[in-house]
Amino acid sequence: MEEATAVTSSTDYPSEDSPLGKCSQCSRAKKVCVCALVPAEPFMTDTRIVILIHPKETRRASGTVPLLQLCLKNLKVVCGASFGATLEDAAEELRTELCGEGTEFRRPTFLVMPGPTAEVLRRKPKPTCEEDSERYEVLAAPAAGQTSVLPTAMQRTLIFVDGTWRQAKQMIRNTPWLTEMSRVCLDPDEESRYRFRKQPQKVCLSTLEAVADCLVSLEHDVSRAWEVHAVMTRLFAGMVSHQLAYIPKFQREGGSEGASANAAADPSQGEGSRSEKAAARAALLRTWCLVRRNR
């Protein structure tokens, strides 16, 4: 089995001095840097977030874990394709994170993953005033015939598995102690905004979106949780928007929509655009003929 190791970087880019290099803060290519949307300081949360990330996912420039590291302080990222048959077999870094010096979880710990026994987390409503924030309790819906496994205490750990859905399932199969854990899951009201990465189902979210929703389901300070949620989702939306601008499929979709809207607003503009394209094609044809003749 591959041993878990700490993540040191999210992907490999050209040197930082290059205009095409990566940004030293957000670890993304400079042309799609999202630092303008990054919070000045990472937020502290009551809930401890542990992310088990597949090695291949660390090489994806469009992953969301580097963004999470910029948003949250109470966060630990460990890389590996498997994490031991038992907790005792897990890498020391992960075992210490979850169990301290002992052999059992030192905090109530849950795997965030759908399953027949998973307890569904519900997002708490946005409070309209500070008094409302104090009255909200954890809104969860346990599976039929079960009582809630979630503690009333604020300190808890959530484990997320980050990778493609196929990789995530393999990681859990290769790590038996994960399959034995109590699970929680989300039932989101909206589809993921991760437009350029295919989701197997409409209810599937990116890791960042899932973490943000879990926080507004579990954090004691609801107002603060929604503030964190807003910052994280705004950062994620910015990343997606920048990325779509460089994906040909979405460039074509955007271009055709824009052209249609402009033509509808100003028919003469559409005529000019068509004539310009025709002129460009004619110029390209003349260039091609000259090249052929010179040969």
Side-chain angles (χ1 to χ4, degrees):
M1 287 187 180
E2 183 174 343
E3 188 176 272
T5 55
V7 174
T8 55
S9 63
S10 59
T11 187
D12 292 325
Y13 285 111
S15 69
E16 294 180 12
D17 294 332
S18 165
L20 297 178
K22 71 172 181 179
C23 170
S24 58
Q25 183 181 15
C26 69
S27 299
R28 297 181 55 74
K30 289 183 178 179
K31 63 182 179 181
V32 289
C33 171
V34 291
C35 286
L37 299 171
V38 171
E41 290 289 337
F43 294 99
M44 189 63 193
T45 58
D46 297 318
T47 306
R48 179 69 168 168
I49 304 296
V50 175
I51 298 178
L52 308 180
I53 186 170
H54 193 279
K56 291 184 178 179
E57 188 66 21
T58 65
R59 299 194 288 270
R60 284 183 179 270
S62 59
T64 63
V65 170
L67 302 184
L68 277 168
Q69 291 173 306
L70 296 172
C71 291
L72 301 177
K73 284 182 181 178
N74 204 2
L75 172 76
K76 180 73 173 177
V77 180
V78 183
C79 180
S82 61
F83 301 90
T86 66
L87 263 174
E88 289 79 2
D89 300 327
E92 182 179 358
E93 178 193 24
L94 179 60
R95 189 172 63 252
T96 302
E97 164 63 34
L98 296 176
C99 304
E101 299 300 322
T103 58
E104 307 228 339
F105 294 128
R106 57 181 175 175
R107 305 183 199 90
T109 303
F110 306 90
L111 176 66
V112 181
M113 181 66 62
T117 61
E119 186 167 343
V120 180
L121 301 181
R122 308 290 185 190
R123 296 198 303 186
K124 298 176 186 176
K126 291 182 182 179
T128 55
C129 61
E130 282 189 23
E131 289 75 14
D132 288 344
S133 180
E134 298 299 324
R135 292 202 302 267
Y136 286 123
E137 301 293 338
V138 173
L139 300 179
Q146 293 187 347
T147 57
S148 175
V149 297
L150 287 165
T152 55
M154 292 182 288
Q155 298 297 328
R156 64 180 68 81
T157 298
L158 297 182
I159 298 178
F160 294 79
V161 181
D162 188 67
T164 64
W165 282 92
R166 182 176 181 180
Q167 290 167 351
K169 290 177 181 177
Q170 289 174 340
M171 290 165 71
I172 292 174
R173 281 198 297 267
N174 293 339
T175 310
W177 60 269
L178 283 176
T179 66
E180 299 167 3
M181 291 185 61
S182 298
R183 295 191 184 193
V184 294
C185 66
L186 294 162
D187 185 17
D189 300 325
E190 303 172 352
E191 293 183 34
S192 172
R193 298 181 183 180
Y194 219 168
R195 291 182 57 198
F196 55 86
R197 289 191 70 172
K198 187 176 181 181
Q199 307 297 335
Q201 299 177 23
K202 289 184 178 181
V203 295
C204 296
L205 303 174
S206 68
T207 301
L208 183 147
E209 291 172 303
V211 170
D213 273 8
C214 283
L215 291 178
V216 294
S217 300
L218 296 173
E219 288 290 287
H220 178 70
D221 188 338
V222 186
S223 297
R224 179 71 164 173
W226 274 108
E227 179 187 349
V228 175
H229 186 281
V231 171
M232 290 172 62
T233 53
R234 187 163 57 243
L235 175 60
F236 178 67
M239 183 274 282
V240 171
S241 177
H242 289 340
Q243 201 71 35
L244 292 179
Y246 292 92
I247 299 176
K249 172 187 174 183
F250 294 100
Q251 284 178 330
R252 289 194 297 271
E253 289 179 0
S256 62
E257 290 172 4
S260 299
N262 290 338
D266 185 357
S268 64
Q269 186 175 346
E271 296 283 342
S273 178
R274 283 193 289 272
S275 63
E276 288 171 7
K277 290 179 181 178
R281 284 195 295 270
L284 181 62
L285 182 60
R286 285 195 298 273
T287 302
W288 181 80
C289 291
L290 287 172
V291 171
R292 293 283 294 177
R293 190 188 314 168
N294 290 337
R295 285 180 182 174

